[in-house]
Amino acid sequence: MAKSVPVHCPTCRREHSFTPPTFPCACGAPLTLPVLADASPELLAHRTWRDAWVAVRCPACDRQDQWPRPEFGCSCGTVVRLPVRSPAPPPVPPPAPAPAPGEGGPGEDGSGDGERPAAVQRPAFRPVAIRTADDALAAAERYLTWLGCPEVTRPGDPEAAGVDLRAGRLVARVDPSTVPTSLRAVECLWLHGLVDSAAGVFFSLAGYAREARSRADDLHVPLFVMDLTGTPQPLNRPADELVERGPV
């Protein structure tokens, strides 16, 4: 259980106890936001999309992601934003040694097993920064195009259609909220895919609930997480296969 920290209201000067929130990291480990107990909270007068997120590095897998910035509402009506410890920069790996003359990587000299299909060759993905919910949709749209999906379109009414994007034999849902995507959302996307004879792909900014991840693996639904740079990252094996082989 996360350890509570004291919070001093800058308006009424009262002291409160605050328990930092815990979220599921993409690696599956619980990640508790490292709220600083000895720093002064910031009075929240105006919310913006960018300020609502904070970068935190997972101590289990060392992955850095964006998470909802913790806030506290005092009984006097004041809302404050709580400071979070900044992530330390990852260590720089040493350069790989150059191969000796005449040596090559697996498959270059016929010594590889040759069983794995070749990955699709693409140029580097160029992300779009996410500041609004529509930016998150645009980032997913650009990513599907980059994967090789033909004619990525948006339905006229996403709520009525049940999907946010259509791309050939793929349908996609984009969750820009600050809470992990639920099991129900993943199952609804899968059902809409069945109706449309298409495979479902999910994009989320805040990750997925544990049961949602497990169910997605069972249903073979690719899951992606996005940070505020607009770069989706594959979260499960179906997503890895989609990136490697492209849409079928």
Side-chain angles (χ1 to χ4, degrees):
M1 183 176 180
K3 184 179 179 181
S4 62
V5 297
V7 175
H8 297 270
C9 176
T11 302
C12 68
R13 305 298 180 182
R14 280 184 286 186
E15 181 176 305
H16 305 273
S17 180
F18 176 79
T19 301
T22 299
F23 300 99
C25 177
C27 70
L31 185 149
T32 300
L33 298 188
V35 176
L36 297 174
D38 55 350
S40 300
E42 174 189 351
L43 187 64
L44 183 59
H46 177 68
R47 282 189 177 89
T48 64
W49 182 273
R50 180 175 293 276
D51 290 341
W53 299 83
V54 62
V56 174
R57 192 178 300 280
C58 175
C61 67
D62 203 40
R63 174 192 178 98
Q64 180 177 314
D65 272 326
Q66 299 286 336
W67 301 98
R69 188 182 296 272
E71 298 177 359
F72 178 79
C74 179
S75 55
C76 72
T78 299
V79 180
V80 293
R81 180 178 290 128
L82 304 179
V84 174
R85 184 173 63 249
S86 300
V92 179
E103 293 184 355
E108 292 181 7
D109 57 357
S111 59
D113 55 19
E115 295 295 330
R116 187 170 182 173
V120 177
Q121 299 298 316
R122 307 183 186 91
F125 176 66
R126 307 180 73 173
V128 177
I130 297 176
R131 298 181 180 86
T132 66
D134 190 66
D135 289 341
L137 189 60
E141 184 176 5
R142 174 176 290 228
Y143 191 76
L144 289 176
T145 300
W146 176 77
L147 286 177
C149 297
E151 299 180 2
V152 182
T153 60
R154 304 185 187 186
D157 185 354
E159 293 306 319
V163 297
D164 296 301
L165 298 170
R166 297 183 186 275
R169 297 184 63 184
L170 292 180
V171 290
R173 194 71 170 167
V174 182
D175 184 359
S177 67
T178 58
V179 296
T181 297
S182 67
L183 167 64
R184 181 177 182 274
V186 171
E187 289 183 332
C188 285
L189 173 66
W190 177 74
L191 289 172
H192 282 294
L194 286 182
V195 172
D196 292 342
S197 299
V201 182
F202 220 115
F203 297 87
S204 176
L205 272 175
Y208 302 83
R210 186 180 298 273
E211 59 271 19
R213 289 190 57 187
S214 176
R215 187 61 171 151
D217 291 340
D218 294 339
L219 299 175
H220 205 73
V221 175
L223 301 182
F224 292 87
V225 289
M226 297 191 293
D227 57 23
L228 294 186
T229 67
T231 305
Q233 298 291 341
L235 182 58
N236 59 357
R237 184 174 182 83
D240 288 331
E241 293 174 353
L242 178 59
V243 173
E244 181 178 357
R245 304 174 186 175
V248 178

